[in-house]
Amino acid sequence: MRYRILGGTGMEVSAYCLGTMMFGAAGNPDHDDSIRIIHRALDHGINFVDTADMYSAGESEEIVGKALRGRRDDVVLATKVHFPMGEGPNRGGNSRRWIVREVEASLRRLGTDWIDLYQIHRPDHRTDIEETLGALTDLVRQGKIRAFGSSAFPAHETVEAYHVARQRGLYRFRTEQPPYNILARGIEGDVLPTAQRLGMGVLTYSPLGWGFLTGRYRKGQEIDLSRGRAARAPQRFDPSIPVNAAKLEVVEELVKLADELGRTLPELAIAFAAAHPAVTSVILGPRTMEQLEGLLKGASLVLDDAVLDRIDELVPPGTNVYHPVGLWSPAPLTDAALRRRPVGDRAAG
């Protein structure tokens, strides 16, 4: 396993990061089995583990904490804050009040005295970015976290946060965690170049495109919308929907390419994400040991220029076949009132 410096922090992290979203009630409810999977990843050389407070309502952090007993010093541990953790106001977001409270809850669940990378899970336009950066800076100075980063932030908000930190004498985001895969390359045009220019580490998630790059879903084959991920979000899998049909078309060509290489489609997909010069580490999110073992087999795969050119022909650089789940959308695109003048003020004359 190769190791890279994480965003100028001096911390060396493996080129694969173990994501733990699937450990707990949302995926694998067997704690002992989940712990075995984590240990297998560590034994293979992965030293970077990513979780979040909201994964299975804190259960994922508890599992990770149990798995790292006796091995904590060997692991760069990352978690996140933002999404609601309970009913009522002030139980989510990026306010100082919530960050200071929730970091203590994460430390308890993880069974550790410090978090290596504390990430803001999503932007929060109700909270001034200076408020958020100020709270995170204080946590670094208190020794509760070593560094902090963002997740699914648009490039312009990353730049804004950078300048606010410089102007106010605050610590800055050292990393960004965006979704990135062959079917979702939109961030190549702005997020990844911005991270490179600002010296940020990048840990990408969803390298298998919500399962479409596993080869499990194929053109012309019936997709059971009543099971697994398809049951939770059938609109993302229903082949009668044009965007899903477009994904299946690309997958057919990618399967052919993987076969030519003598590799599996997941191995091809993860090697693609790891090949981008801005990407520090690719997050793997297995639910079972079998899935982990299959993904680890691709660690040595090197995609040459000819293969990457073939992929560029199928999905041009900087384009999305689908809009990645969880990726930030500009408010004017989701709220019509922000892109429409009052009726009485729309006429030019």
Side-chain angles (χ1 to χ4, degrees):
M1 185 62 60
R2 289 185 175 177
Y3 299 89
R4 298 164 178 165
I5 300 299
L6 183 64
T9 64
M11 291 186 286
E12 292 186 67
V13 298
S14 48
Y16 282 175
C17 173
L18 181 67
T20 64
M21 185 176 72
M22 300 307 295
F23 298 155
N28 186 345
D30 187 328
H31 285 209
D32 290 339
D33 188 45
S34 297
I35 290 170
R36 283 192 291 270
I37 295 170
I38 294 171
H39 287 170
R40 176 68 184 98
L42 300 183
D43 293 341
H44 191 81
I46 291 176
N47 76 335
F48 198 11
V49 177
D50 177 74
T51 186
D53 57 357
M54 57 84 67
Y55 292 167
S56 294
E59 188 180 3
S60 174
E61 286 188 328
E62 293 173 358
I63 292 171
V64 170
K66 288 189 286 187
L68 296 187
R69 289 173 186 166
R71 306 184 71 163
R72 177 66 185 90
D73 288 341
D74 299 324
V75 172
V76 176
L77 179 59
T79 191
K80 312 180 197 70
V81 62
H82 169 79
F83 286 105
M85 292 289 288
E87 300 294 330
N90 299 313
R91 292 182 178 274
N94 302 344
S95 69
R96 173 181 286 271
R97 186 181 193 276
W98 180 243
I99 290 172
V100 169
R101 174 178 173 177
E102 189 57 14
V103 73
E104 298 292 348
S106 286
L107 287 168
R108 284 195 300 273
R109 288 189 292 262
L110 291 165
T112 185
D113 294 326
W114 82 97
I115 293 164
D116 294 296
L117 178 64
Y118 199 46
Q119 300 159 99
I120 299 300
H121 214 154
R122 293 292 186 273
D124 176 8
H125 300 123
R126 304 169 305 168
T127 305
D128 192 305
I129 189 63
E130 183 177 352
E131 178 83 358
T132 300
L133 293 173
L136 294 169
T137 297
D138 287 346
L139 291 179
V140 174
R141 290 171 176 163
Q142 292 165 14
K144 295 180 179 179
I145 65 176
R146 299 295 187 249
F148 56 84
S150 57
S151 178
F153 270 49
H156 73 270
E157 295 208 16
T158 298
V159 172
E160 178 189 5
Y162 173 81
H163 286 294
V164 168
R166 293 193 65 184
Q167 292 165 2
R168 299 292 187 266
L170 302 171
Y171 294 166
R172 63 185 179 91
F173 288 134
R174 286 293 186 175
T175 62
E176 163 60 15
Q177 183 179 144
Y180 181 55
N181 59 67
I182 295 174
L183 299 174
R185 303 181 60 177
I187 64 170
E188 291 175 342
D190 51 12
V191 171
L192 294 182
T194 296
Q196 286 179 290
R197 184 158 189 172
L198 298 181
M200 298 173 68
V202 175
L203 45 158
T204 61
Y205 70 90
S206 195
L208 300 182
W210 250 67
F212 272 85
L213 296 175
T214 63
R216 179 180 177 184
Y217 307 103
R218 300 290 298 275
K219 181 181 177 181
Q221 296 181 3
E222 184 178 355
I223 296 177
D224 187 351
L225 300 178
S226 65
R227 298 179 59 189
R229 287 189 172 188
R232 297 200 298 271
Q235 73 280 6
R236 295 175 187 150
F237 295 87
D238 186 345
S240 68
I241 297 175
V243 67
N244 296 329
K247 287 187 279 188
L248 293 173
E249 291 285 353
V250 176
V251 165
E252 289 304 304
E253 298 303 317
L254 291 173
V255 168
K256 295 176 186 177
L257 179 56
D259 287 344
E260 290 176 21
L261 297 173
R263 296 285 190 158
T264 66
L265 180 55
E267 290 173 3
L268 173 66
I270 293 174
F272 168 82
H276 196 288
V279 175
T280 310
S281 189
V282 179
I283 297 175
L284 313 180
R287 180 178 54 83
T288 67
M289 184 69 78
E290 181 182 12
Q291 290 174 351
L292 175 65
E293 295 288 0
L295 296 173
L296 291 176
K297 289 179 181 177
S300 62
L301 177 58
V302 176
L303 303 183
D304 61 25
D305 288 345
V307 172
L308 293 174
D309 288 344
R310 292 265 300 275
I311 294 174
D312 287 350
E313 292 172 1
L314 295 171
V315 182
T319 63
N320 291 326
V321 178
Y322 75 100
H323 189 71
V325 178
L327 190 62
W328 181 88
S329 294
L333 298 185
T334 58
D335 184 352
L338 296 178
R339 61 178 186 273
R340 298 173 182 173
R341 290 179 180 273
V343 175
D345 190 34
R346 292 178 187 173

